[in-house]
Amino acid sequence: MLNIVIFGAPGSGKGTQSERIVAKYGINHISTGDVLRAEIKNGTELGKTAKSYIDQGQLLPDALIIDILASTLDGFKESKGVIFDGFPRTIAQAEALKKMLAERGQQVSVMLDLDVPEEELMTRLIKRGQESGRADDNEETIKKRLVVYHSQTAPLIDWYKAEGLYAHIQGLGELETITADICKAIDSVQ
Ligand code: ADP
């Protein structure tokens, strides 16, 4: 089983690279952001709660997102593996993921840290907001999301280094080059 955590700041290219990895390795993809946006679109209670956090650039409470992740994971039958995109985003979530996988006799294979300079993140997200109309891709909310990333999510870099699972990926450059670097990191743990 290949359990890949794709990690990086908002706008680092996690979604784009995840699609490519899914196509190459035939594994399942969980994007917590996509799950939440689908709930918002469908007007569910969960969607209403999610929207109030997302519009503020804040993270959803750990307990809530961990439940969502667990039920999505249980929906995958006979899976070759999973790419976790947008989860974990806090140390508590990383610990929950470790426990959840251990209960299934599995573990994280590698954590890929897509490293992109801050000015580039800003440019990409503003462009994405203009093209997709994604409500949280406006300058004010992007700034808040980056602050949240640095304070709550970036500490996971050291956490995964301590677990011996960390792989640094240069996230600036040609899409193909980045994908090739990612594949190299994955193949070295297979
Ligand atoms: P990005 O990484 O580009 O900011 P995502 O689509 O992964 O975007 O997530 C969008 C928003 O959804 C986040 O800003 C946050 O509010 C919420 N969210 C997604 N994943 C999580 C998570 N693991 N824990 C808490 N909140 C989350």
Side-chain angles (χ1 to χ4, degrees), residues 124-189:
R124 287 185 190 178
L125 290 168
I126 286 172
K127 185 161 171 259
R128 185 171 75 185
Q130 287 161 352
E131 287 168 357
S132 72
R134 209 175 116 168
D136 57 343
D137 284 342
N138 64 76
E139 197 166 338
E140 196 192 334
T141 313
I142 295 166
K143 282 188 181 149
K144 287 188 193 159
R145 283 156 64 204
L146 289 172
V147 170
V148 167
Y149 169 77
H150 288 296
S151 62
Q152 301 190 53
T153 306
L156 284 176
I157 294 175
D158 282 340
W159 194 89
Y160 276 106
K161 279 184 181 166
E163 295 273 306
L165 295 171
Y166 178 85
H168 178 265
I169 305 287
Q170 169 63 262
L172 190 65
E174 292 291 324
L175 276 185
E176 280 71 23
T177 315
I178 300 167
T179 308
D181 287 348
I182 288 177
C183 292
K184 238 186 268 167
I186 295 173
D187 293 340
S188 74
V189 297

Side-chain angles (χ1 to χ4, degrees), residues 9-11 14 31-34 36-37 53-54 57-60 65 85-89 93 125 128 134 136 145:
K14 299 184 293 285
S31 159
T32 42
D34 285 352
L36 299 175
R37 280 185 289 277
Y53 288 95
I54 293 177
Q58 298 300 317
L59 298 182
L60 270 75
I65 201 88
D85 163 4
F87 185 99
R89 260 176 149 98
Q93 292 179 21
L125 290 168
R128 185 171 75 185
R134 209 175 116 168
D136 57 343
R145 283 156 64 204

Side-chain angles (χ1 to χ4, degrees), residues 64-75:
L64 183 57
I65 201 88
I66 289 165
D67 270 359
I68 296 171
L69 204 274
S71 53
T72 313
L73 200 56
D74 284 336

Side-chain angles (χ1 to χ4, degrees), residues 63-101:
L64 183 57
I65 201 88
I66 289 165
D67 270 359
I68 296 171
L69 204 274
S71 53
T72 313
L73 200 56
D74 284 336
F76 297 150
K77 302 287 176 226
E78 303 191 13
S79 170
K80 284 200 229 165
V82 178
I83 181 152
F84 296 90
D85 163 4
F87 185 99
R89 260 176 149 98
T90 62
I91 305 256
Q93 292 179 21
E95 281 164 353
L97 178 62
K98 186 175 177 177
K99 187 160 166 264
M100 229 183 284
L101 290 175

